Amino acid sequence: MIIEPKTRGFFCLTSHPTGCEANVREQIGYVTEQGQIADGPKNVLVIGASTGYGLASRITTAFGCGAGTVGVFFEKEPIARRPATAGWYNSIAFERAAKTAGLYAKSVNGDAFSDEIKARTVDLLRDGIGPVDLVVYSLASPRRIHPKTGEVAHSVLKPIGKVYEGLTLDTDKKIVKSITIEPATEEEVAATVSVMGGEDWAMWIDALEVAGLLAPGARTISFTYIGSKLTWPIYRAGTIGKAKEDLERAATALDERLATRGGGAHVCVMKALVTQSSSAIPVVPLYISLLYRVMKEKNLHEGSIEQIHRLFATHLYTGGSPPLLPPTDEHGLIRLDDREMRDEVQNALVPLWGTVSTENLSEIADFEGYQAEFLKLFGFGLAGIDYAADVDHQLQFES
Ligand code: NAD
């Protein structure tokens, strides 16, 4: 099949197997170049392992720490007339590279919110690498079927309490336009907390603990975003922000539990990045286009693999016996958004935010960089790939 990008709003309906493989190899190359992280984890479970921060965590722990990994994700497999989703190809490429490097790597494709997938993962760990010393929880999902009640919750990206009026970017048409978003109802807030909050994270840790699959000193991490005042109404002060507050609540409870066995639980605040989930948040693509421009100019830009590698090498695994605790802010959060939040970056963004328009987008924002990063998520635009060539899109995992 010859595969071309077919973008629809914040999603691309196609993905390219060879391009996805090149993207994964590029990230592996970055991690390998940085050298090994001493005292890193050896057995790792990554939930949400196929794209974005989860994939970068899997690559960093495998190729930077020599870890065996189990990855859980929810991707569409290929069918005769349609390629798979990008995370499917990413994960096949990752597994192949890991196995070539002599590293254990197995994956579970299915709904991580379900009891069935938790049980399948527990069985896989029990029969494979055994207890894990790190659990990375990196899900970003639009919906959750509650495993106990069967209730279906849909997450929404809305302000709370008042209408949001501002600017957003139509990335398909390259137009900056006004947007009005009505505030969320109480039910919508609760549903978003159910999908993106901490309950499922705790359920995973429960399942692993009951099965005896948490190694002594096991740690768990998840990710959040705080960001600039410019995106607060829609992010931190909106429905997703409420879900992230719940994630932080869960982390505090998990930390108390895991600390008794020498481990801990942490929420890591990451920078804004182009990923499949961040592209779906209104306002955020416009903010990211401006942010990338400013951070690249100031030589402060990082992608997902650079952020995650820095997290592991300079915050999470810094040696010591017993292991040194990661540095946190006064709320117990690990801050990897320090570069995005610097005054020099935020102060440069404010006037740009006030003047950005369709006409000056290419001049004052890094829209081309945004688009290139977006297409790269689906395996398009990578150097050295012949996109006119017929490729085998029906790739499958080795058993
Ligand atoms: P992403 O969309 O790239 O990855 C999401 C992952 O979750 C994929 O592996 C996907 O397969 C998996 N997934 C989704 N639903 C699932 C389900 N039901 N069962 C199993 N797997 C499922 O997202 P991302 O941007 O890397 O986000 C990961 C985390 O990082 C999220 O908590 C997000 O809020 C946080 N974060 C993102 C940013 C950003 O700018 N992208 C910044 C800070 C924090």
Side-chain angles (χ1 to χ4, degrees):
M1 181 184 265
I2 294 169
I3 309 172
E4 290 174 349
K6 276 194 198 141
T7 53
R8 295 281 181 279
F10 54 78
F11 199 67
C12 181
L13 299 174
T14 50
S15 56
H16 198 281
T18 329
C20 288
E21 182 184 5
N23 190 7
V24 168
R25 287 198 174 279
E26 201 177 290
Q27 295 191 45
I28 293 173
Y30 174 82
V31 169
T32 312
E33 263 171 39
Q34 311 308 307
Q36 287 292 297
I37 300 169
D39 306 314
K42 293 296 171 224
N43 285 345
V44 178
L45 171 63
V46 183
I47 303 153
S50 54
T51 55
Y53 279 127
L55 174 64
S57 301
R58 195 174 192 193
I59 290 173
T60 299
T61 51
F63 290 89
C65 311
T69 60
V70 169
V72 181
F73 43 78
F74 206 4
E75 301 293 339
K76 285 204 176 90
E77 46 184 297
I79 53 174
R81 59 183 168 78
R82 195 197 60 207
T85 47
W88 177 270
Y89 296 133
N90 290 341
S91 301
I92 289 179
F94 170 84
E95 277 200 10
R96 284 184 181 165
K99 283 173 188 163
T100 305
L103 298 165
Y104 179 96
K106 292 261 185 212
S107 303
V108 179
N109 187 34
D111 183 4
F113 296 127
S114 68
D115 287 344
E116 184 211 330
I117 290 299
K118 288 186 180 74
R120 222 202 288 168
T121 308
V122 160
D123 288 346
L124 185 64
L125 285 168
R126 202 186 277 121
D127 297 342
I129 46 176
V132 291
D133 42 24
L134 176 68
V135 180
V136 180
Y137 186 82
S138 186
L139 288 189
S141 174
R143 72 172 204 146
R144 173 182 179 212
I145 303 173
H146 197 283
K148 309 298 173 210
T149 64
E151 212 173 299
V152 183
H154 292 269
S155 68
V156 300
L157 298 157
K158 291 188 177 181
I160 295 176
K162 54 181 177 212
V163 175
Y164 174 79
E165 281 177 354
L167 292 178
T168 194
L169 178 60
D170 180 330
T171 47
D172 267 357
K173 298 193 182 122
K174 199 181 166 186
I175 290 173
V176 178
K177 59 181 191 187
S178 304
I179 186 172
T180 303
I181 309 174
E182 293 297 322
T185 61
E186 271 179 34
E187 291 74 27
E188 286 175 322
V189 176
T192 309
V193 170
S194 171
V195 180
M196 290 297 287
E199 188 189 28
D200 183 63
W201 184 16
M203 285 178 167
W204 270 99
I205 299 301
D206 291 345
L208 294 166
E209 193 172 28
V210 167
L213 286 169
L214 289 178
R219 298 186 194 188
T220 184
I221 57 167
S222 190
F223 304 115
T224 191
Y225 180 65
I226 294 177
S228 145
K229 292 243 157 60
L230 301 171
T231 58
W232 268 39
I234 202 72
Y235 200 98
R236 192 65 189 175
T239 46
I240 182 75
K242 276 279 170 266
K244 292 300 186 185
E245 277 173 23
D246 187 66
L247 195 75
E248 288 160 31
R249 172 206 56 75
T252 308
L254 289 175
D255 193 50
E256 277 170 20
R257 265 167 70 185
L258 295 180
T260 60
R261 10 178 352 137
H266 302 283
V267 175
C268 312
V269 188
M270 310 306 281
K271 87 181 267 277
L273 270 191
V274 185
T275 64
Q276 291 187 26
S277 55
S278 72
S279 319
I281 307 177
V283 187
V284 167
L286 182 60
Y287 172 78
I288 290 182
S289 302
L290 292 167
L291 178 74
Y292 274 27
R293 172 70 183 261
V294 172
M295 291 189 77
K296 283 179 186 174
E297 262 173 20
K298 295 185 184 298
N299 215 11
L300 292 171
H301 180 70
E302 290 174 301
S304 56
I305 196 69
E306 290 89 356
Q307 277 261 291
I308 291 290
H309 187 274
R310 185 157 69 92
L311 168 67
F312 278 80
T314 67
H315 288 66
L316 285 176
Y317 294 98
T318 50
S321 180
L324 291 171
L325 287 175
T328 61
D329 68 9
E330 67 276 25
H331 306 293
L333 300 168
I334 301 179
R335 302 299 295 253
L336 266 287
D337 62 340
D338 49 335
R339 297 180 186 172
E340 173 178 346
M341 296 316 293
R342 280 189 197 174
D343 283 348
E344 58 170 318
V345 173
Q346 290 301 319
N347 291 343
L349 280 168
V350 175
L352 297 178
W353 190 258
T355 51
V356 68
S357 65
T358 304
E359 291 69 39
N360 65 15
L361 188 64
S362 290
E363 195 191 318
I364 70 168
D366 184 22
F367 180 66
E368 282 65 30
Y370 180 92
Q371 265 192 321
E373 281 286 307
F374 177 76
L375 287 174
K376 196 172 169 186
L377 300 174
F378 303 91
F380 296 108
L382 284 109
I385 306 290
D386 179 2
Y387 289 100
D390 211 349
V391 281
D392 175 10
H393 72 285
Q394 302 234 47
L395 302 181
Q396 293 295 330
F397 286 85
E398 283 168 27
S399 51

